[in-house]
Structures are given as structure tokens and as C-alpha cells.
């Protein structure tokens, strides 16, 4: 499956990233020489078996982990730590403060930055909540919201800061199958409406294909690049389809076949 040509300008890029963890037995390599780029409005999904470094890569892009070597750039600037240009949307959207209303949750990062007047904060917050379809629940509390509304509120809180990249680490992993499907659809609807750029981590091959416009496949520990696939032609209408099942089998074989593992090792 070939990548689209020409490539769009990169919103962020990972260049020959190496991530190490210190342990009592010495340094353990989690990620080894991984590179990829993500253009405006693209949704790149990191996919691989447990222990391949998917979450570690996401944490490094967020600025929480320092690379042993390699460079991560956002809009061409090398990142040195966390910043408002990269926002993590946590699993089950539990970054929403339960004692604050939807409006107060979304405006919270703007108030912390202290760069806008109260009127400007209110205007930007309400405009962002209208974009995600939550204008009718501005003064509701998180416990009164459905799962889809919580997701929209969490994403609104990220978008209100004009973040360049949303980072999502298995946000649906703990949910039942029906709720997971519903929230996948909510996320796709928002992505299509708002065109945000997304880095997404999952263990699910089908979820990766449905959510992502691109997949980056990683080998077992330490995580090394197997290949990248263009999946922008797949959407929620493909759930359960023969062509999605066919691509899922292809991706599974790339991730787990002995031949794929051998080819990765031969290129180290």
C-alpha cells in the first residue's frame, strides 16, 4: 500500500528516535531508531504488540520522556519538554475536573495561561464548545454527561488552546464493546468536522484502521519500525466489512509473522 504523493507539510515529526529506561539491571532500550512524520489533519496510529514502545513514543512526543538520541519537532521546532502545542487526552477522559462545569473545565487552561481577558476567555471557550456540539451543556457537570459528551469536552479543552497535536493513549481500552464503538464514531465525527492532527495509540488492529489515516507498525521489544501504511480510505462505514477484515489480516501478518520479525532484525 503506497503513501500519498506529494507529502503534506509536517505538523510534527519523529526523527531516528531512541528511548532508554534505567533499571536495576542496567539500561533497557524501549524504542530503537523510529522515524515518522504527520501532516496537517492526519491521524497517525502507533500499532504493535505489548512492550513495543507505543506509549513511550507518545510520552516522548508529549515531552514527558527525554530521548536517548534522535529529535522530535513540532512545526519545525525541536521540542525540549511539555508544551501547549501538544495536548494529551487521557484514558476515559478523566482530566475533566468533577467539581467544575463543562465551561469551567474547558476555560481552565486559558485561565492558567493568564494571557487573555475574562471576556476573551469566555468568548473563545463558548466558540470551541459550539464547534464540538456542547453549547447546550455549558453549565453541566461531568458526571451528568454521556461518554461521548465527556470525550467532546476533553477534546474541546485541548482545542481551546490552539494545540497543534492531540495525543491519545488507548482512550477506549477500558470500555465495553458497544461504548467503544460509539466513542470511536464520536472521535471520527469530530476529526472530520474539525480537522485536528492526532497521534493515537492502540492494541486493536481494527480500531487502528478505522481511526487512523496512517498506521505506523512497530516490532516487539524494543520497538522498531516494520512499515507505515496509508489507511485514509477507510472509515466507520467499513466496520465489519470484508475489505477491513482483509487489511486486518495483512496487518496482523506484518506484526506477528516470523518473516516480518526476521526482516526487521536484518535491517538493524
Amino acid at each position: 500500500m503506497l503513501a500519498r504523493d506529494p507529502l503534506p507539510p509536517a505538523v510534527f515529526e519523529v526523527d531516528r528516535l531512541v528511548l532508554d529506561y534505567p533499571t536495576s539491571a542496567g539500561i533497557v532500550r524501549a524504542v530503537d531508531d523510529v522515524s515518522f512524520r504527520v501532516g496537517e489533519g492526519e491521524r497517525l496510529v502507533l500499532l504493535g504488540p505489548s512492550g513495543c514502545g507505543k506509549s513511550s513514543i507518545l510520552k516522548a512526543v508529549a515531552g514527558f520522556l527525554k530521548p536517548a538520541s534522535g529529535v522530535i519537532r513540532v512545526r519545525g521546532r525541536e521540542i525540549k519538554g511539555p508544551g501547549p502545542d501538544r495536548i494529551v487526552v487521557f484514558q476515559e477522559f478523566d482530566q475533566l475536573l468533577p467539581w467544575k462545569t463543562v465551561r469551567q473545565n474547558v476555560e481552565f487552561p486559558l485561565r492558567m495561561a493568564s494571557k487573555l481577558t475574562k471576556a476573551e476567555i469566555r468568548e473563545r471557550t463558548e466558540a470551541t464548545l459550539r464547534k464540538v456540539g456542547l453549547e447546550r451543556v455549558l453549565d453541566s457537570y461531568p458526571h451528568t454527561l454521556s461518554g461521548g459528551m465527556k470525550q467532546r469536552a476533553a477534546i474541546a479543552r485541548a482545542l481551546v488552546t490552539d494545540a497543534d497535536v492531540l495525543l491519545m493513549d488507548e482512550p477506549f481500552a477500558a470500555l465495553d464493546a458497544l461504548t467503544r464503538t460509539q466513542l470511536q464514531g464520536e472521535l471520527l465525527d469530530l476529526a472530520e468536522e474539525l480537522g485536528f492532527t492526532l497521534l493515537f495509540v492502540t492494541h486493536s488492529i481494527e480500531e487502528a484502521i478505522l481511526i487512523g489515516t496512517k498506521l505506523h507498525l512497530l516490532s516487539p521489544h524494543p520497538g522498531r519500525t516494520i512499515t507505515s501504511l496509508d489507511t485514509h480510505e477507510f472509515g466507520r462505514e467499513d466496520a465489519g466489512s470484508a475489505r477491513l477484515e482483509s487489511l486486518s489480516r495483512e496487518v496482523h501478518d506484518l506484526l506477528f509473522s516470523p518473516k516480518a520479525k526476521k526482516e526487521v532484525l536484518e535491517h538493524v
Side-chain angles (χ1 to χ4, degrees), residues 188-204:
L188 285 173
D189 287 344
L190 279 177
E192 290 166 6
E193 291 166 20
L194 305 177
F196 51 71
T197 303
L198 177 66
L199 179 62
F200 191 96
V201 167
T202 183
H203 280 92
S204 167

Side-chain angles (χ1 to χ4, degrees), residues 87 89 95-96 102-103 105-110 124-134 148-163 166 190 194 196:
I87 300 294
V89 178
Q95 69 267 52
L96 296 176
V102 170
R103 184 204 305 271
N105 265 285
V106 173
E107 71 185 15
F108 182 73
L110 297 180
R124 182 182 290 192
T125 297
E126 291 182 357
T128 303
L129 285 167
R130 283 195 297 273
K131 285 182 181 179
V132 301
L134 292 181
M149 286 179 174
K150 286 181 181 178
Q151 179 177 221
R152 286 175 174 259
I155 291 174
R157 195 165 112 153
L159 296 178
V160 77
T161 64
D162 293 326
L166 298 187
L190 279 177
L194 305 177
F196 51 71

Side-chain angles (χ1 to χ4, degrees), residues 18-80:
V18 175
L19 297 174
D20 291 338
Y21 283 99
T23 71
S24 58
I27 299 298
V28 173
R29 181 142 297 176
V31 174
D32 190 18
D33 195 22
V34 168
S35 300
F36 56 81
R37 67 195 307 279
V38 182
E40 194 81 51
E42 289 186 324
R43 304 187 298 275
L44 184 128
V45 179
L46 298 176
L47 183 63
S50 296
C52 71
K54 302 183 296 296
S55 294
S56 295
I57 293 171
L58 185 139
K59 290 174 184 175
V61 173
F64 301 143
L65 286 181
K66 183 178 180 181
S69 64
V71 179
I72 301 170
R73 301 182 184 90
V74 176
R75 304 284 185 190
R77 303 183 306 275
E78 182 178 354
I79 68 165
K80 299 294 186 180

